[in-house]
Amino acid sequence: MIMCREATRLMSLKQDKTLSFREKASLGFHLSMCGACRACARQFDLLHKIGSHHPASPDKPYSDSDPYEPR
């Protein structure tokens, strides 16, 4: 079984790429046993969701009318 530090690393990695089957299984098993890491995973997911809707997120280029665009 992986420890919380490795689970956190996998949660972060999951936001950027698809995990391997082994990584998914290890993380899933750990999350089934660890309430603190389940809460952390929900926070990672929420932050990723919020960040993906921000006008300056990498998958959404700046527009001419973007108030957050650096000058």
Side-chain angles (χ1 to χ4, degrees), residues 27-54:
L27 180 58
F29 181 71
H30 182 86
L31 291 176
S32 73
M33 305 291 282
C34 183
C37 284
R38 281 194 304 275
C40 183
R42 286 191 300 271
Q43 290 172 352
F44 266 106
D45 291 341
L46 178 62
L47 287 171
H48 184 73
K49 184 177 179 181
I50 290 169
S52 68
H53 292 298
H54 189 276

Side-chain angles (χ1 to χ4, degrees), residues 13-40:
L13 191 61
K14 179 183 162 194
Q15 301 302 320
D16 299 324
K17 73 173 198 111
T18 302
L19 299 179
S20 70
F21 176 79
R22 182 181 207 130
E23 291 168 328
K24 285 180 192 176
S26 294
L27 180 58
F29 181 71
H30 182 86
L31 291 176
S32 73
M33 305 291 282
C34 183
C37 284
R38 281 194 304 275
C40 183

